Amino acid sequence: MWSKRVKLGLAALLMTGVLAGCGQTENNNAGGNEETPKKEETYSGTIALAGSTALQPLAEEAANAFMEKYPDVSITVQGGGSGTGVNQVAAGAVQIGNSDVPAAEKLDDKSKASELVDHKVAGIAFAIVVNDDVNVDNLTTKQIQDIFNGKIKNWKEVGGPDEAIHVINRPASSGTRAAFEKTIMKDVKINDSIGTVQDSNGAVEQAISSTPGAVSYVAMSYLIGEKKNLKTVKIDGAEPTVENIRTEKYPFWSYEYMITKGEAKEEVRAFIDFVKSEEFAPTVKKMGYIPMTELE
Amino acid sequence: MQQMHTKRRNRWLEEYIGRTFAVICGWLIVLITVTMIIFLAVKGIQSFTDSGLSLSDMLLSAQWDPNGTPPKYGALIFIVGSMLVSLGALLISAPIALALAIFMNFIAPKWFVSLLKPVLELLVGIPSVVYGWLGVTILVPLMREWFGGSGFSLLAGIIVLSMMILPTITSIAADALANVPMAYMEASYGLGSTRWQAISRVIVPAAKAGIATGVVFGLARAFGEALAVQMVIGNTIKLPSGLDSPTATLTSVLTMDMANTINGTPWNNALWTLALILLLISFFFIAVIRLVGPRKEG
């Protein structure tokens, strides 16, 4: 009997909590509307994003900033990988699919691809990273190709210590690896039977810093802030800066895409424009991505 | 009289509602399982029906190069990797588990058993990512020190897995041993056997079926485990050349690539086929459990 009463009490408490919560959000929304009447246009609705984990942090930051500006819009951002992004947007499950590559490169069925629209929202630079004990600070594209192809097996062959090279790759389906193959490896094949494979930027980071002689590639957005403990290597003498990317001195970078299906609704378009905008650009830069304003 | 009648009717109603609910739940489970199997089968055979891959290429070729021209989808490396890592884990943990089960049932003092049991239950409950994480931070560097190379290796996967399946096998084996009637033990003592003789020649053989069930359960769990193995095995696309060499398993390649491929592409279909292979292998294990399991009791 007692336990029944307790349960009832708990249920009642929960209910009031939920109801109170509802009331509060409504109030907030109303308040928000009153505060931003000076904006000429206002947007409402819900936008769901899913896909690329490389783009996810930026998309989340953009969603928060956008929702602050337009409190009637509610945005949810999920990861899942570029494949998930393209799948979900093609199926109409989300309004925006985040991807490291254009939709057409992922989809075999071209009729499906024609429905999808790619929007370049930012650039992302990648860096070759090595373990601390590798005192090499520059590699040529040719040397990198030979390392990942398995021709160069010891750091002394590229002016480093006499130490075996340990290659860490990303899985074949990874967007970061796709960028690496496209801009650095070009026609040379990555040798998958050497070294190991780690399936996320985080796992690569962990493996690089703990494995002597290790080399891999990660997105620059993973090298800013507190994560500076990884040692980056210049490619053909160039560092991964926006300037070097714009002047084509640094090859290892790619665009990030937000993909929509067919004609996007106005709040979706407004959100994508916001990500690319001058206004949001400083945040983009701060998070280790390259704003579109600096690329075009 | 009237009151008694309604009382009886109420009870009958309650019974009836309860029974209906239970039946519906039972059918729901069956339905969910069957639909999942059908879904997986439909998806899994698309590699052969839509993408034109051949079964023998898929099962017997070690060429996995989904990005290549032409792409190749040979799953042999992963099948071998999964088998080696789970059989290896079994080789380590089955003897230890059996010893532990015997110890718990016949040798350890009561207070120690009441400590050991919750500890084993706790081990089952630890999420696999924690095992993986411990493997990466402790085991992999140790492997590197002992064998050279990167430390990510088949052996690291085997050790992590054997930790994970040890409690499963132990508890099932311990239950099986506990089910052997005490009379067997007493009878063998009566014939003048030592404790060791009684345990090794009477009790363990009598509990053979139950112990075997535990071992197959452990094997099935090891085969399906993804995350912890993926974190320490290296995921290199090649057949292992030794215990210190990295390789990949069915589950590790699935978790790494599933999210980044698109529905309907040959690559995605090939991954579904890998999932189907996993399912068929667990079917096989379940069949084995059925065969060895309930044959005799005590």
Side-chain angles (χ1 to χ4, degrees):
Chain A
M1 215 49 224
W2 185 82
S3 74
K4 209 170 206 174
R5 216 174 288 163
V6 169
K7 272 185 206 155
L8 267 176
L10 267 177
L13 260 178
L14 272 175
M15 281 305 287
T16 35
V18 169
L19 288 177
C22 286
Q24 219 151 29
T25 15
E26 268 162 37
N27 284 345
N28 276 350
N29 280 351
N33 273 343
E34 277 159 14
E35 275 162 30
T36 49
K38 41 191 180 270
K39 281 271 162 243
E40 278 170 33
E41 52 218 313
T42 183
Y43 301 102
S44 63
T46 58
I47 309 173
L49 290 82
S52 162
T53 44
L55 186 53
Q56 193 180 0
L58 184 68
E60 274 164 5
E61 196 63 34
N64 289 337
F66 193 77
M67 284 191 284
E68 212 165 278
K69 217 170 148 198
Y70 305 104
D72 284 348
V73 180
S74 126
I75 306 175
T76 56
V77 182
Q78 288 163 19
S82 299
T84 307
V86 179
N87 272 335
Q88 299 277 54
V89 75
V94 296
Q95 285 75 45
I96 297 176
N98 296 335
S99 176
D100 304 331
V101 292
E105 264 179 46
K106 281 257 173 193
L107 284 167
D108 272 10
D109 187 352
K110 297 292 174 233
S111 63
K112 251 191 207 163
S114 64
E115 281 188 310
L116 300 176
V117 189
D118 300 323
H119 306 270
K120 292 174 184 168
V121 290
I124 191 162
F126 303 94
I128 301 287
V129 287
V130 293
N131 185 271
D132 275 340
D133 68 345
V134 179
N135 55 358
V136 170
D137 63 352
N138 182 47
L139 288 169
T140 64
T141 311
K142 179 83 178 79
Q143 284 170 332
I144 299 171
Q145 289 174 347
D146 286 348
I147 288 173
F148 281 84
N149 180 253
K151 263 187 229 149
I152 296 180
K153 293 189 173 74
N154 194 302
W155 283 111
K156 72 177 177 208
E157 293 171 63
V158 291
D162 182 7
E163 181 174 30
I165 296 178
H166 180 70
V167 171
I168 299 173
N169 267 308
R170 296 292 300 279
S173 60
S174 139
T176 304
R177 173 162 160 160
F180 179 66
E181 286 177 342
K182 210 156 124 190
T183 60
I184 303 283
M185 296 304 283
K186 301 198 179 99
D187 294 330
V188 184
K189 221 167 158 31
I190 290 181
N191 186 343
D192 272 307
S193 66
I194 57 165
T196 56
V197 179
Q198 297 293 336
D199 86 326
S200 67
N201 277 297
V204 166
E205 197 188 317
Q206 151 80 21
I208 287 277
S209 53
S210 67
T211 314
V215 58
S216 189
Y217 39 88
V218 295
M220 281 303 286
S221 51
Y222 276 83
L223 294 173
I224 53 153
E226 297 146 32
K227 295 183 174 168
K228 279 179 187 154
N229 54 348
L230 291 187
K231 190 174 162 191
T232 64
V233 174
K234 282 184 254 179
I235 300 174
D236 296 328
E239 299 204 43
T241 60
V242 174
E243 192 50 40
N244 281 340
I245 286 169
R246 208 163 29 190
T247 53
E248 296 184 355
K249 276 191 192 133
Y250 188 82
F252 195 9
W253 70 281
S254 79
Y255 286 109
E256 287 290 337
Y257 298 86
M258 286 190 177
I259 298 166
T260 55
K261 188 184 186 184
E263 197 62 22
K265 278 191 293 188
E266 62 168 349
E267 68 268 16
V268 174
R269 213 162 35 220
F271 175 67
I272 292 175
D273 288 341
F274 175 76
V275 179
K276 300 198 288 193
S277 69
E278 197 86 46
E279 176 190 357
F280 190 58
T283 318
V284 176
K285 214 165 174 179
K286 204 177 72 202
M287 295 187 71
Y289 301 80
I290 311 156
M292 287 308 289
T293 47
E294 302 205 16
L295 283 171
E296 280 169 341
Chain B
M1 194 63 205
Q2 180 66 33
Q3 201 186 4
M4 226 178 98
H5 183 73
T6 39
K7 218 175 188 177
R8 192 179 296 157
R9 211 182 68 169
N10 277 346
R11 186 170 299 162
W12 184 81
L13 252 178
E14 267 171 32
E15 286 263 299
Y16 189 74
I17 290 171
R19 199 188 97 109
T20 317
F21 184 66
V23 167
I24 289 175
C25 287
W27 276 108
L28 196 66
I29 291 293
V30 173
L31 195 75
I32 290 171
T33 315
V34 169
T35 28
M36 267 167 57
I37 292 167
I38 292 174
F39 180 75
L40 209 51
V42 168
K43 281 287 206 179
I45 59 167
Q46 274 175 354
S47 285
F48 314 117
T49 53
D50 291 9
S51 309
L53 308 177
S54 88
L55 184 64
S56 61
D57 272 0
M58 189 102 199
L59 294 180
L60 302 175
S61 152
Q63 300 266 325
W64 176 265
D65 185 14
N67 263 343
T69 37
K72 296 193 187 88
Y73 302 99
L76 186 67
I77 292 170
F78 314 130
I79 297 173
V80 170
S82 278
M83 284 194 171
L84 286 179
V85 77
S86 33
L87 287 174
L90 208 61
L91 227 55
I92 294 181
S93 60
I96 301 176
L98 183 59
L100 257 177
I102 292 171
F103 176 73
M104 276 168 70
N105 267 309
F106 305 110
I107 300 168
K110 273 232 162 63
W111 65 267
F112 192 71
V113 175
S114 60
L115 186 75
L116 202 56
K117 276 217 158 149
V119 167
L120 283 174
E121 278 156 22
L122 203 70
L123 276 179
V124 179
I126 293 176
S128 62
V129 64
V130 176
Y131 282 103
W133 187 243
L134 289 173
V136 169
T137 48
I138 298 169
L139 199 59
V140 169
L142 272 180
M143 295 280 140
R144 186 162 57 232
E145 231 164 80
W146 293 340
F147 302 108
S150 67
F152 293 96
S153 57
L154 184 60
L155 186 58
I158 288 176
I159 292 176
V160 166
L161 259 189
S162 58
M163 284 291 293
M164 296 180 69
I165 63 175
L166 181 69
T168 313
I169 307 179
T170 308
S171 22
I172 298 175
D175 285 348
L177 290 177
N179 279 338
V180 177
M182 263 332 264
Y184 285 29
M185 188 95 169
E186 280 153 14
S188 56
Y189 278 156
L191 290 171
S193 78
T194 62
R195 182 164 72 176
W196 169 244
Q197 286 168 333
I199 292 171
S200 64
R201 309 230 177 117
V202 178
I203 307 287
V204 171
K208 212 166 56 189
I211 294 169
T213 311
V215 169
V216 181
F217 259 120
L219 190 61
R221 172 144 198 237
F223 217 88
E225 171 51 40
L227 198 55
V229 175
Q230 189 213 308
M231 287 168 84
V232 300
I233 204 168
N235 308 308
T236 309
I237 313 288
K238 71 162 193 198
L239 288 165
S241 53
L243 279 176
D244 60 338
S245 138
T247 184
T249 64
L250 283 167
T251 45
S252 76
V253 75
L254 268 177
T255 49
M256 284 197 307
D257 282 339
M258 206 48 143
N260 272 317
T261 57
I262 308 292
N263 287 342
T265 54
W267 190 348
N268 190 266
N269 288 342
L271 292 178
W272 280 109
T273 309
L274 296 189
L276 183 63
I277 293 173
L278 261 177
L279 181 76
L280 291 178
I281 292 171
S282 15
F283 272 166
F284 171 74
F285 287 141
I286 291 167
V288 172
I289 293 171
R290 291 249 144 200
L291 278 179
V292 298
R295 202 161 29 180
K296 63 178 175 187
E297 186 82 332

